[in-house]
Every structure is written in C-alpha cells, then in structure tokens.
Amino acid sequence: METIKRTKVKDLLKSEPGQDVLAKGWVRTKRGNKQIKFISLNDGSTIYNIQIVADTSKFEESLLQKITTGSSLAVRGKLVESVGSGQAVEIQAAEIEVLGECDPVRYPLQKKDTSLEYLRTVAHLRLRTNTFGAILRIRHNMAFAIHKFFNDNGFVYLNTPLITESDAEGAGDMFEVTTLDLTKVPMKDGVIDYSQDFFGKRTSLTVSGQLEGELGATAVGEIYTFGPTFRAENSNTPRHLAEFWMIEPEMAFYDIADNMALAEEFVKYLVQYALDNCMDDLKFLNDKYDNGLIERLHSVLGVQFQRVTYTEAVDILEEAVRNGHKFEFPVHWGTDFQSEHERFLVEQHFGKPVILTDFPKDIKAFYMKQNEDGKTVRGMDVLFPKIGEIIGGSEREASLEKLEKRIDEMHMSRKNLEWYIDTRRFGTVPHSGFGLGFERLLLFVTGMANIRDVIPFPRTPKNAEF
Ligand code: ATP
Ligand code: MN
C-alpha cells in the first residue's frame, strides 16, 4: 500500500473532501450488494464511524469476503462528500488491506446488541464496543481534567504508597500483602509472626492515601493524590468496587467552608469539562442508556449545592417518614445514612446536590475536627442525584491533645500513628481535605447504572478475571 500518513477517523470526519487519505480501524458493519459494499470503520478515536465505499469490480472477491464485523483494515482512498451515510464525508476505497481477519462464526460481538453483563465476560472485546469506547474516552478526559484543575490551582500531585502498615481510618476491610508461605505460616505465642514477613510487619493495600496526604499538605500547602485504592468490602452493590481510583486533595489553612467550596467548584469544573469536550460520547450514552443524562449534568452546574447539617437532615428524613415515606433502613440520630436516604435528600427534598456536614463523631473517623458540642465532627459528604455519596471529607483535627484523646477513645494504637501525629506536634495548622471516588464521578458523568461498567477491568467479590 502506498505510504501516506494515517488519519484518525475523528479527524477524517472533519476534513475537507478531495484528498487522498489512509484510514485504519475495525469493521463495525458491512452491507451492500453485488456492485458496491459499504463498510463502517471505527478506530476508537470517536464514537462515529467512517463509511468506506468499495466498488466490487476493483477488488478480489476473496478479499471482500474477509471483510467481516470485527476484522481490522487499512484503507486508502479518496475522501469524498457523502450523500447517504449520515456523515459529511466517506472514503472511496482505492486499496484495502485486511490486517486481521475475524472469524464471523466465533466472533462473540455481532451486530445485535449484547448486554452489559455479557460484555463483562469478554473483556478484550468489551472495550471495542461503542459503549466502552465512549466510556474510556470520557474516563480519560475526566482524568486529564482532574490533573488540569489541580495544576491550574497550584496543587502538587503527591504519590502516596499503595502498600501500607496503617489502617488509614478503618475506612474498609483491607487486603493483606504478604510473602509468607500460606501453607505454613510462622507462629509465635499463638499469633502470626510477621517479623518473618517481607516488611517485618503486617502490611496491606491502602484504603486511602489521606494520612500521607496530610503530611504533604502540611509541607507544600496543597496536594492531591490520584491513584488506586483497595477495599475488601464484600458488599456487591452497584456503587462499590474492591479496586477503585480515588482523588484526595488535602489543603493546609482550609477550614470546612473552604473545603466545601473547593469540592463544589471541583466537581462543577469536571462536569463542565465533560460537556465541553465529550459531547459526542455523552449524546450516545444519553440516547442509549439514560435519557436524562445531559439534562442532569447541566442541572448541577446552575445551582449552589445545598449545605445542610446531619442533624437537620435527620429531621427532614424523620418528617418524611411521619408523612408516610417508606425507607428500607430506619433512620434516627446516630445512624449512618444509606444511599436511599442520601438520594431522598438530593432528589426529592432539595432537588439539587447536597453537602452534609457535622456528623455524629461515632460514625466518623478519628481525624475529623471535633465540634464544640462534644457530639459532632466537621465531616462533609457531597451527595449527588442517582449516586448518593460521591465525596467524603472533613476539616481535620489540628489539636494534638484532642487528636490523641480521640485515638485512645477509639482504642487505636498511638504508637503506629506517631509519624502522623507528629504533624500536630510540630507546627500544626488548620487543614482539610476530601476524597472523590473516580468511578462514582464517572457513574454520574456517564449515566451508567453499575460501577463495574465505568472501569475497564472491574474487581469485585469473586471476580478478578482478566
Ligand atoms: P460509602 O458509604 O459509599 O461506602 P465511604 O464512606 O466508605 O463510602 P469514603 O471512605 O469517604 O467513602 O471514601 C471517599 C469516596 O470514595 C466516597 O465518597 C466514594 O466516592 C468513594 N468510594 C468509597 N468506597 C468505594 C468503593 N468500594 N468503590 C468505589 N468508590 C468508593
Ligand atoms: Mn464504604
């Protein structure tokens, strides 16, 4: 084939007709008659395909037969104005090379629609569907926008460890990391002798980079982490993964109000970025899965998120129950909200995103700043329509004395946390931070219903395939 530079489909669709072009990609469909074949080619650069028009008299029958759904092609030809393809341009094929054949009998993704559940069992082909193409491009755009937002605001990207000896906050059950031979675990005085393990201590995969993040923030001011997080929660919900990505900004000199303002500005920026840069893919997902998607994205931009305390929210929920609303789980002061409660507040009561603050201290982590009432702490959860909690954060306890007292009250080991407590011992400052679950954000932005469908290789209980 004549050597000209390949043009991506995304760029071809915007190009002026008349030029000689080279396209490469995978066949989505082939149709036509004896004289002429129409081939839809997609290369993953856009949700749209480029139409290839092949005059059958110019090509060997044996070559045309190899062009089946899923096969890969290089096509050189003239870009011409299109009459019927629904696109402005198409390629009049001059040369076609089949790069990789695709046995139509064995190929599991035929034209007919296949369910998302089924697709999870064919990981390699799943990513080649229109749906996953859209999701992967949106996921990439959101990751890029996250780095851009923080970079533009002067935050430092901090890499916190994935292997840790601290259970950050009791945020979730942890996966243990060990090189001990599990068929003959060394014991000493009736317990596992971790001194013989790789690190000489019991270690696990991290559930949060926050504690290390606080060390970064109290050194360079404003940091964020963006990395994988592991929680062995056996919950099997459409909103939990065992391995997910989390973004955790941590800021010195921010109080809870500054923290809320940043969280609101941040998620609005990301939603706006998606609307500005991913519209083709959003339209596809809107039409195929969730007709309210684009409207919902716009709806969070035009409003100020409702700030409400946990105590006020309990009053609202109890009032709703008195008025006949049925929740599956009971609600009273002191309980952690379930997603049905969160969604009631957002979707039915306020009709906009909600930032809940000032939770009972007993349902929150040891590091949250204690309020003067002795009962509540300055935590904040950002709740979104359709999802419930998307962000969890707090102002951190800056007082050495109060922090140590709380660690003792919660029967945690001060000794293991000395490295962290030192931030309060030497030049402590007010500071705050939060964690945004990347896949929860993507659930909102893509409108997908199951968190497994916004990550390329989901890890959930009993599933770590591929
Ligand atoms: P939830 O109550 O929904 O389990 P959480 O209180 O355990 O959340 P945090 O510990 O505050 O959550 O974690 C911060 C953020 O990380 C959450 O707001 C959510 O967006 C995300 N997140 C937490 N657990 C998971 C998970 N298992 N899979 C995906 N995202 C998660
Ligand atoms: Mn959880």
Side-chain angles (χ1 to χ4, degrees):
M1 184 167 295
E2 196 185 308
T3 48
I4 53 173
K5 203 165 168 280
R6 170 171 83 104
T7 310
K8 290 197 182 186
V9 171
K10 185 182 179 186
D11 299 321
L12 285 173
L13 294 172
K14 288 184 290 195
S15 299
E16 283 298 312
Q19 336 164 27
D20 203 26
V21 295
L22 173 63
K24 294 183 183 180
W26 294 270
V27 174
R28 284 281 199 257
T29 57
K30 183 180 79 171
R31 58 189 177 81
N33 52 38
K34 276 214 165 63
Q35 287 78 43
I36 197 157
K37 298 285 178 208
F38 299 100
I39 303 154
S40 286
L41 200 69
N42 188 281
D43 67 0
S45 61
T46 161
I47 191 81
Y48 298 117
N49 307 322
I50 184 95
Q51 176 159 282
I52 314 292
V53 184
D55 179 344
T56 53
S57 64
K58 289 200 217 146
F59 299 96
E60 296 286 342
E61 176 59 25
S62 62
L63 176 106
L64 291 174
Q65 262 168 14
K66 288 181 192 157
I67 301 174
T68 58
T69 296
S71 62
S72 47
L73 307 182
V75 180
R76 192 183 60 76
K78 196 169 172 193
L79 196 67
V80 298
E81 222 167 289
S82 173
V83 269
S85 76
Q87 305 294 346
V89 290
E90 61 192 23
I91 298 175
Q92 210 100 57
E95 268 182 281
I96 299 178
E97 185 187 340
V98 177
L99 299 172
E101 292 177 43
C102 184
D103 182 348
V105 180
R106 291 186 55 207
Y107 189 55
L109 292 185
Q110 295 299 338
K111 215 161 77 181
K112 69 174 180 326
D113 221 342
T114 34
S115 75
L116 292 165
E117 289 76 18
Y118 171 71
L119 286 178
R120 285 184 217 131
T121 68
V122 278
H124 50 303
L125 297 171
R126 174 180 184 241
L127 301 190
R128 257 196 227 165
T129 58
N130 285 331
T131 296
F132 270 89
I135 283 163
L136 291 185
R137 284 184 296 270
I138 293 171
R139 196 177 158 106
H140 164 76
N141 272 277
M142 289 293 91
F144 179 77
I146 285 160
H147 284 297
K148 180 161 166 52
F149 175 87
F150 286 123
N151 182 63
D152 291 352
N153 284 286
F155 284 61
V156 169
Y157 179 35
L158 183 76
N159 299 119
T160 50
L162 300 190
I163 299 174
T164 173
E165 57 165 288
S166 71
D167 170 0
E169 41 180 306
D173 290 326
M174 304 180 85
F175 291 102
E176 213 166 306
V177 174
T178 182
T179 54
L180 290 177
D181 180 350
L182 296 182
T183 62
K184 39 180 195 289
V185 177
M187 303 293 287
K188 198 175 162 189
D189 307 328
V191 292
I192 296 171
D193 180 11
Y194 283 105
S195 70
Q196 296 187 41
D197 204 348
F198 188 90
F199 294 104
K201 287 195 173 107
R202 181 180 188 165
T203 52
S204 309
L205 294 176
T206 187
V207 293
S208 161
Q210 180 200 318
L211 300 189
E212 291 89 351
E214 289 186 47
L215 269 65
T218 53
V220 294
E222 287 150 325
I223 64 94
Y224 70 105
T225 71
F226 186 178
T229 310
F230 308 87
R231 296 189 185 179
E233 36 200 0
N234 213 342
S235 41
N236 246 324
T237 79
R239 302 175 306 118
H240 289 91
L241 291 163
E243 177 180 292
F244 64 100
W245 288 66
M246 185 142 68
I247 300 101
E248 294 183 280
E250 193 69 36
M251 300 75 63
F253 317 116
Y254 275 50
D255 66 13
I256 184 83
D258 302 325
N259 202 24
M260 288 192 272
L262 180 76
E264 178 166 353
E265 186 193 343
F266 177 47
V267 285
K268 282 179 169 170
Y269 175 89
L270 297 177
V271 170
Q272 185 67 59
Y273 191 94
L275 288 167
D276 290 345
N277 295 278
C278 307
M279 199 37 114
D280 292 346
D281 291 321
L282 291 175
K283 272 195 191 126
F284 169 82
L285 295 171
N286 188 89
D287 293 348
K288 185 160 171 149
Y289 295 103
D290 177 356
N291 287 300
L293 173 63
I294 292 175
E295 197 188 309
R296 200 174 325 105
L297 294 180
H298 281 292
S299 80
V300 300
L301 293 177
V303 294
Q304 227 222 332
F305 296 179
Q306 181 71 41
R307 281 136 172 89
V308 53
T309 67
Y310 169 89
T311 304
E312 289 162 347
V314 170
D315 288 345
I316 292 167
L317 294 169
E318 284 179 338
E319 173 77 22
V321 170
R322 275 196 299 277
N323 291 335
H325 190 90
K326 295 243 181 317
F327 291 114
E328 190 185 337
F329 295 93
V331 59
H332 55 83
W333 203 94
T335 54
D336 210 351
F337 291 169
Q338 301 291 326
S339 107
E340 56 170 344
H341 305 125
E342 298 171 343
R343 292 187 60 180
F344 178 87
L345 293 167
V346 173
E347 292 164 29
Q348 266 142 287
H349 190 80
F350 290 111
K352 54 177 158 170
V354 169
I355 309 183
L356 270 184
T357 58
D358 302 290
F359 298 86
K361 65 176 189 217
D362 291 332
I363 60 170
K364 290 292 181 186
F366 74 95
Y367 51 70
M368 293 195 183
K369 185 173 171 66
Q370 296 159 39
N371 282 325
E372 293 66 31
D373 64 10
K375 291 192 301 192
T376 59
V377 289
R378 269 179 223 164
M380 61 162 217
D381 281 0
V382 180
L383 314 180
F384 258 44
K386 255 192 105 178
I387 317 288
E389 180 184 334
I390 188 165
I391 284 178
S394 68
E395 180 170 346
R396 317 305 188 191
E397 183 54 76
S399 148
L400 173 64
E401 199 193 322
K402 287 189 185 164
L403 184 71
E404 288 188 324
K405 190 157 160 272
R406 191 70 190 136
I407 292 172
D408 293 346
E409 273 171 16
M410 294 177 81
H411 307 293
M412 297 172 64
S413 153
R414 263 202 232 176
K415 192 167 151 278
N416 287 348
L417 283 167
E418 281 307 325
W419 61 274
Y420 172 77
I421 299 171
D422 278 347
T423 54
R424 276 58 166 184
R425 198 169 275 133
F426 307 111
T428 189
V429 291
H431 63 288
S432 301
F434 60 81
L436 167 69
F438 189 42
E439 287 78 18
R440 295 264 176 101
L441 170 80
L442 288 169
L443 276 179
F444 183 72
V445 171
T446 62
M448 299 303 283
N450 193 316
I451 199 162
R452 293 164 178 78
D453 294 325
V454 295
I455 186 165
F457 304 101
R459 263 85 187 99
T460 49
K462 299 280 179 289
N463 172 43
E465 225 186 331
F466 313 118

